[in-house]
Amino acid sequence: MDKTKALEDLVEVINLDAIQHLPKPTEHFISDLHGEYDAFEHILRNGSGRIREKVDYLFKRQLRSEEISELCFIIYYPEEVLSESDYDEQQWFVLMERLVKVARFSAGKYTRSKVRKALPQDFAYIIEELLYQYDQEYEKEWYYGSIFNKIIELDLAQKFCEILGHLIQRLVVDHLHVLGDIYDRGPAPDKIMDSLMTLPSLDIQLGNHDILWIGAFCGSLGCLTNLLRISARYGNLELLEKYGIDLAPLKKFAKKNYQENAAFAPKIEAGELSAEDCKDAMRLQQALAIMQFKVEGTIINRRPEFQLDERLLLDKLTKDQTELNYFGTKIPLINGCFQLVGQDAYQLTDEEKIVLTGLLQDFQNSERLQKHIAFLVEKGTLYLRYNGNLLFHGCLPCDQQGEFLSYQFGGQTYQGVELLDFYLESIRTSFKNPQEHEDLATDIIWYLWCGAGSTLFGKKAMKTFERYFIADKKLHTEEKNAYYQLREKAAFCETILRAFDLSENGHIINGHTPVKVVKGDIPIKADGRLLVIDGGLSKPYQKVTGIAGYTLVANSFGMTLVAHQPFTNRQEAIKNRQDILSQKEIVVRKNQRLYVKDTDIGQELARQIDKLLG
């Protein structure tokens, strides 16, 4: 063997073994963002409280509580907070010392090489010197002070502190898990996508609302009409226009064919939209609901294996369109707007076809939307095994006994893990050929939105029609899959973990279903085997949850669930130095600290070491 090569291998073994003995990096879990960019960005910036914990640990004996809050907000929002400051030279010096101390503490669990990669190009060499050269016993204080003084002298103190703030944010959390539903309801999912695309390490488990946007881009008219209707329902039409979607033809069509109807008023706070925009939203919802039911009926008839015949309701209208033959019973209808439903109930009118064709073209021609959807498909999965835990957005369809239900598509039968794999393959197949609109893969994406076998929907049927047009609220109820009752039991969760080749000591982490804290619901289920982290980050959900979202932090000491208070906006948070942490609950406390060797990455490093020594 070549001696030089052998020495290189042995040096690499030493490097890899050293990495194995570093503390396990911090993972950050968040779910159901629903376009709430300001709240998401704040949680990301404060690391679900990890930055505050580190600052408290380092300075609790030196600084008052308000001074600690001020230092935290300088780290969270360095540009905004420091632009308001009027520091003298001594104050800048002290601030830089403190920020370097926090940065050094945060960098302690990483290799020097990894920290170097995280450093911004500006000041990279200086920051590295400050992080690794400090040693009072060998008179490095003077060396440190000379660097700080020169930065101040050159009027670069504010810039330097801003860079340190962002560096600390990046170092505090090593990896982000997003458990779905970036889109819909809130105003700025596009800004969330822009932010996610800048992160160095993350994964995404796709949610049902993300699927809707992917499906619309891939050419599913069922997804497109649902997406547009929901945008009108929650007053988010501006988002579509930011993506370059021309809504003028749709608005003109809706104004021509539909009247104002308070039952279709957008679900927003008073004053958030102008009176004219509210009227537009009313008419658009009606137009889009009818087009949705038509194109969905076409899909259902085209795909009998979906077993959704019970959702074919337009053709059950009575001749005068005032009643519905609902499973053998005539039921009166309210809020009727069926004037464009003809003898062939699921046939689009020529005008409807023109409008939908134009909208679909806009979706597929939007460069920004294409970039976001491509990122979702590239990073997105339907489940993830990570460090012994199982992450997915919704559920695994099963019967009351906990047996995975099987479904047949394209002549093949799938259940459990194989079902999820088939769904993901369909998403990626459809994305590769968005011009094909009626293929099975594209129809599967729509099925993931509303089908009984969808791991993202998790209910027997979606009752959009009933909620709009039938007064009896008992008929609005959407029956959940048995998974949502069984997940309270540890034995069932252990069965699922085994099905994914994971240890029974792992955890299942879900989003999708808001935890209704005000009604006594709890996020920790099955003796801690399963955690639900959808606590209502989306403002429309906060009335029923009572909080404003859960996040989960997993570090070398265990797992902590963090509940958040409602977030007003970025400006108010900065002005009042108002964080949104309300409560922390330790889910798992490790008796022994975890190290890189205890993670998936550690196992891969061990394989590399064996290969080098082999």
Side-chain angles (χ1 to χ4, degrees):
M1 179 183 292
D2 181 86
K3 290 185 178 181
T4 304
K5 181 65 166 62
L7 179 60
E8 288 177 357
D9 288 349
L10 293 176
V11 170
E12 182 63 10
V13 167
I14 295 170
N15 292 336
L16 296 177
D17 185 72
I19 294 171
Q20 292 268 48
H21 291 85
L22 287 170
K24 172 192 174 294
T26 299
E27 301 168 58
H28 196 184
F29 303 75
I30 191 167
S31 177
D32 296 84
L33 309 175
H34 286 299
E36 298 293 347
Y37 171 74
D38 280 356
F40 161 73
E41 189 75 357
H42 186 78
I43 290 170
L44 205 61
R45 285 170 179 265
N46 73 10
S48 281
R50 292 292 296 151
I51 288 176
R52 178 75 187 222
E53 287 176 4
K54 291 182 183 295
V55 173
D56 275 338
Y57 178 82
L58 292 170
F59 299 107
K60 61 185 175 183
R61 295 179 181 177
Q62 302 174 36
L63 302 179
R64 300 188 308 275
S65 176
E66 58 268 26
E67 291 175 316
I68 286 176
S69 292
E70 183 70 13
L71 181 55
C72 287
F73 268 84
I74 288 172
I75 296 170
Y76 303 161
Y77 300 102
E79 289 84 2
E80 291 91 332
V81 175
L82 292 175
S83 66
E84 302 169 354
S85 65
D86 186 21
Y87 292 167
D88 60 27
E89 291 182 2
Q90 180 60 28
Q91 287 171 315
W92 280 119
F93 192 101
V94 170
L95 177 59
M96 284 189 283
E97 276 195 316
R98 290 171 179 170
L99 290 174
V100 167
K101 191 172 184 178
V102 178
R104 185 186 303 115
F105 187 50
S106 302
K109 61 172 61 177
Y110 303 117
T111 64
R112 188 164 177 169
S113 173
K114 185 165 183 173
V115 172
R116 185 180 294 123
K117 291 174 183 176
L119 297 177
Q121 188 171 358
D122 296 333
F123 294 106
Y125 172 76
I126 293 172
I127 293 174
E128 189 170 359
E129 286 290 293
L130 294 173
L131 292 181
Y132 295 105
Q133 294 295 326
Y134 184 70
D135 188 341
Q136 290 184 357
E137 293 183 9
Y138 292 93
E139 299 182 350
K140 287 293 178 73
E141 269 191 301
W142 178 86
Y143 174 70
Y144 240 33
S146 67
I147 294 175
F148 289 154
N149 285 327
K150 183 58 68 174
I151 290 172
I152 294 168
E153 180 185 328
L154 296 174
D155 199 24
L156 292 172
Q158 180 173 330
K159 178 68 173 176
F160 185 64
C161 290
E162 290 171 0
I163 288 172
L164 284 173
H166 289 296
L167 175 63
I168 293 166
Q169 291 177 32
R170 181 166 176 179
L171 293 174
V172 163
V173 174
D174 181 64
H175 187 86
L176 178 69
H177 303 285
V178 182
L179 274 79
D181 279 358
I182 297 164
Y183 278 89
D184 287 339
R185 289 186 168 82
D190 58 322
K191 294 174 71 174
I192 293 176
M193 289 299 300
D194 288 338
S195 180
L196 292 176
M197 291 173 73
T198 68
L199 298 181
S201 183
L202 86 158
D203 55 70
I204 300 171
Q205 287 69 65
L206 298 170
N208 50 317
H209 289 272
D210 306 320
I211 282 294
L212 208 54
W213 283 75
I214 293 172
F217 180 82
C218 290
S220 168
L221 294 181
C223 290
L224 178 65
T225 49
N226 270 281
L227 182 160
L228 292 165
R229 178 184 58 78
I230 291 170
S231 296
R233 182 173 175 80
Y234 288 92
N236 285 335
L237 297 173
E238 185 179 347
L239 169 64
L240 296 165
E241 291 167 341
K242 284 198 292 181
Y243 272 130
I245 312 301
D246 183 8
L247 296 177
L250 175 61
K251 290 180 179 180
K252 182 179 179 181
F253 165 81
K255 190 170 185 179
K256 173 185 174 183
N257 291 286
Y258 295 91
Q259 304 298 316
E260 296 170 34
N261 186 331
F264 294 89
K267 301 287 185 180
I268 55 170
E269 297 292 332
E272 288 188 24
L273 290 180
S274 69
E276 189 56 39
D277 286 341
C278 284
K279 292 176 183 177
D280 277 342
M282 289 182 201
R283 292 188 288 256
L284 288 175
Q285 259 193 91
Q286 295 171 77
L288 290 162
I290 298 305
M291 286 191 279
Q292 172 190 320
F293 300 139
K294 287 183 177 183
V295 298
E296 287 181 335
T298 301
I299 297 172
I300 292 168
N301 285 321
R302 182 166 65 235
R303 302 292 175 194
E305 66 265 43
F306 287 179
Q307 298 183 29
L308 288 171
D309 288 358
E310 290 184 355
R311 292 292 86 207
L312 294 173
L313 297 177
L314 280 187
D315 60 342
K316 309 300 189 299
L317 295 172
T318 57
K319 190 173 183 179
D320 63 2
Q321 299 183 335
T322 61
E323 293 180 303
L324 181 73
N325 291 311
Y326 193 75
F327 305 106
T329 302
K330 279 193 176 181
I331 294 180
L333 297 174
I334 58 174
N335 311 318
C337 54
F338 305 109
Q339 54 268 31
L340 296 187
V341 179
Q343 187 173 357
D344 184 349
Y346 303 108
Q347 178 67 44
L348 293 168
T349 68
D350 290 341
E351 276 188 294
E352 288 172 328
K353 289 178 184 176
I354 292 170
V355 168
L356 285 182
T357 299
L359 288 164
L360 181 58
Q361 289 175 348
D362 283 353
F363 264 74
Q364 295 186 332
N365 291 333
S366 169
E367 291 184 9
R368 187 162 183 244
L369 182 59
Q370 182 180 20
K371 181 174 68 172
H372 288 168
I373 299 302
F375 183 77
L376 272 182
V377 174
E378 176 193 354
K379 292 289 185 180
T381 62
L382 292 179
Y383 69 92
L384 181 68
R385 290 171 284 219
Y386 198 96
N387 288 341
N389 298 315
L390 177 62
L391 288 60
F392 56 92
H393 179 72
C395 74
L396 284 169
C398 59
D399 61 21
Q400 294 292 338
Q401 288 70 47
E403 298 292 328
F404 295 144
L405 293 170
S406 60
Y407 299 88
Q408 190 173 86
F409 303 107
Q412 298 291 321
T413 300
Y414 306 93
Q415 65 177 170
V417 182
E418 292 77 15
L419 182 66
L420 287 161
D421 290 338
F422 166 73
Y423 287 153
L424 184 60
E425 182 184 359
S426 297
I427 293 167
R428 291 176 174 168
T429 297
S430 181
F431 179 74
K432 288 178 183 176
N433 187 16
Q435 303 310 316
E436 180 64 51
H437 301 162
E438 298 181 359
D439 59 309
L440 176 60
T442 304
D443 286 345
I444 285 290
I445 299 179
W446 171 80
Y447 181 83
L448 278 168
W449 166 249
C450 61
S454 168
T455 58
L456 302 178
F457 177 49
K459 298 177 183 178
K460 184 178 179 181
M462 187 172 286
K463 300 292 188 73
T464 307
F465 186 100
E466 287 88 337
R467 289 196 300 270
Y468 275 132
F469 301 119
I470 296 177
D472 186 353
K473 291 189 176 181
K474 292 193 297 293
L475 300 180
H476 298 182
T477 302
E478 296 175 343
E479 181 184 337
K480 289 184 177 180
N481 184 265
Y483 172 88
Y484 292 102
Q485 288 77 47
L486 293 171
R487 71 178 181 177
E488 303 282 348
K489 302 177 181 179
F492 174 70
C493 294
E494 290 166 2
T495 298
I496 291 177
L497 288 166
R498 287 195 299 271
F500 283 83
D501 297 321
L502 292 170
S503 165
E504 296 174 359
N505 295 321
H507 302 271
I508 299 170
I509 305 170
N510 287 167
H512 187 52
T513 50
V515 180
K516 298 177 181 178
V517 177
V518 292
K519 295 186 177 181
D521 197 5
I522 59 174
I524 304 173
K525 302 180 183 297
D527 300 327
R529 278 285 162 266
L530 188 145
L531 307 171
V532 183
I533 60 170
D534 179 7
L537 195 66
S538 174
K539 290 179 182 177
Y541 285 138
Q542 289 171 13
K543 291 179 181 178
V544 296
T545 61
I547 61 171
Y550 285 108
T551 52
L552 182 70
V553 176
N555 60 21
S556 57
F557 296 106
M559 301 175 77
T560 303
L561 195 68
V562 184
H564 298 272
Q565 298 172 348
F567 189 78
T568 51
N569 58 61
R570 181 187 183 113
Q571 290 73 26
E572 284 295 313
I574 295 171
K575 178 181 178 182
N576 300 318
R577 305 298 191 257
Q578 182 179 356
D579 228 326
I580 61 173
L581 303 176
S582 59
Q583 182 180 348
K584 294 185 178 182
E585 184 169 357
I586 296 174
V587 180
V588 179
R589 187 192 294 277
K590 296 292 182 182
N591 294 325
Q592 294 183 332
R593 194 173 192 186
L594 295 175
Y595 294 89
V596 171
K597 64 184 177 64
D598 302 309
T599 68
D600 293 346
I601 291 174
Q603 293 176 18
E604 175 57 31
L605 294 178
R607 285 190 287 269
Q608 292 180 34
I609 290 172
D610 289 342
K611 186 176 180 181
L612 289 167
L613 293 175

